[in-house]
């Protein structure tokens, strides 16, 4: 008996395909941990930000805290919700590593990742607008730049935006990765 030529789509194509899907599952897990760390660090950094400045005497002081502005409170809550979601989505990511052919979990993760992406983008963008005003001010509305007086406060709130925007980029990558993994199942 002679063996005929192997056509495309036949043969051992399922073993490498499963390996690629498992690799995508591992990358998904690592990206979720990275996004969790970034969003949690941003929430903690913003929530613990405050600075007190003395004014004339030691009895009169000006204090700046994150909860003085509702936008920063929304930022902390949004980052907290997204980091909790990312923590609770890790078992689903592990399930995708073990069962690389599972499609329903990936669809669920795409939907939830997109919702969390919207929430995180809203919180980070709103906080970025306030941070910009804190640094530059707005002469038309008589909002003066406060970062000349509150250096430590402004450095911390600016730094907390970095982790949040890293989380936004990682969530975009997670959505794209899950979409590619789903398209490979056909």
């Amino acid at each position: 008996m002679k063996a005929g030529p192997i056509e495309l789509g036949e043969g051992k194509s399922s073993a490498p395909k499963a390996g690629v899907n498992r690799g995508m599952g591992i990358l998904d897990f690592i990206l979720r941990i990275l996004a969790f760390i970034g969003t949690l660090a941003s929430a903690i950094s913003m929530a613990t930000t405050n600075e007190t400045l003395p004014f004339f005497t030691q009895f009169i002081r000006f204090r700046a805290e994150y909860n003085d502005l509702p936008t920063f409170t929304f930022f902390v809550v949004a980052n907290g919700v997204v980091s909790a979601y990312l923590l609770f989505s890790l078992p689903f990511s592990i399930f995708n590593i073990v069962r690389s052919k599972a499609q329903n979990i990936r669809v669920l993760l795409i939907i939830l990742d997109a919702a969390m992406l919207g929430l995180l983008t809203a919180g980070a963008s709103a906080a970025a607008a306030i941070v910009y005003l804190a640094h530059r001010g707005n002469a038309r509305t008589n909002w003066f730049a406060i970062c000349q007086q509150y250096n430590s406060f402004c450095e911390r709130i600016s730094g907390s935006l970095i982790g949040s925007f890293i989380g936004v980029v990682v969530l975009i990558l997670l959505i794209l990765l899950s979409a590619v993994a789903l398209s490979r199942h056909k």
Side-chain angles (χ1 to χ4, degrees):
M1 278 199 204
K2 275 176 96 178
I6 298 176
E7 292 184 25
L8 291 176
E10 291 183 5
K12 299 180 182 180
S13 66
S14 64
K17 193 174 187 180
V20 170
N21 286 339
R22 182 163 287 126
M24 286 183 167
I26 292 170
L27 183 60
D28 181 86
F29 183 76
I30 292 169
L31 288 175
R32 285 185 190 282
I33 290 174
L34 181 68
F36 169 73
I37 291 169
T39 55
L40 184 64
S42 290
I44 291 171
S45 176
M46 182 69 81
T48 58
T49 298
N50 60 29
E51 186 175 358
T52 304
L53 293 176
F55 184 74
F56 290 127
T57 67
Q58 64 182 4
F59 299 111
I60 301 174
R61 295 179 180 199
F62 290 123
R63 184 172 176 93
E65 293 181 338
Y66 86 96
N67 58 358
D68 291 337
L69 295 164
T71 304
F72 289 157
T73 304
F74 174 61
F75 177 83
V76 170
V77 170
N79 275 284
V81 167
V82 171
S83 63
Y85 160 73
L86 287 166
L87 182 66
F88 290 131
S89 70
L90 287 176
F92 295 117
S93 185
I94 291 171
F95 182 77
N96 281 333
I97 295 170
V98 175
R99 307 245 179 184
S100 59
K101 298 223 182 231
Q103 292 183 11
N104 295 336
I105 296 296
R106 287 208 189 267
V107 171
L108 176 68
L109 285 176
I110 284 178
I111 292 168
L112 293 175
D113 286 348
M116 293 300 122
L117 175 64
L119 178 65
L120 188 60
T121 303
S125 299
I130 298 299
V131 169
Y132 178 80
L133 284 176
H135 282 283
R136 305 272 185 190
N138 188 339
R140 291 182 186 172
T141 59
N142 289 329
W143 186 320
F144 301 107
I146 64 165
C147 286
Q148 295 155 350
Q149 292 85 16
Y150 295 99
N151 284 334
S152 174
F153 179 77
C154 288
E155 287 173 4
R156 297 253 335 237
I157 62 175
S158 298
S160 67
L161 289 175
I162 294 169
S164 189
F165 280 113
I166 288 173
V168 167
V169 170
V170 171
L171 279 171
I172 291 170
L173 292 175
L174 283 169
I175 292 169
L176 292 174
L177 184 68
S178 292
V180 167
L182 278 175
S183 71
R184 293 179 54 81
H185 283 292
K186 290 186 176 186

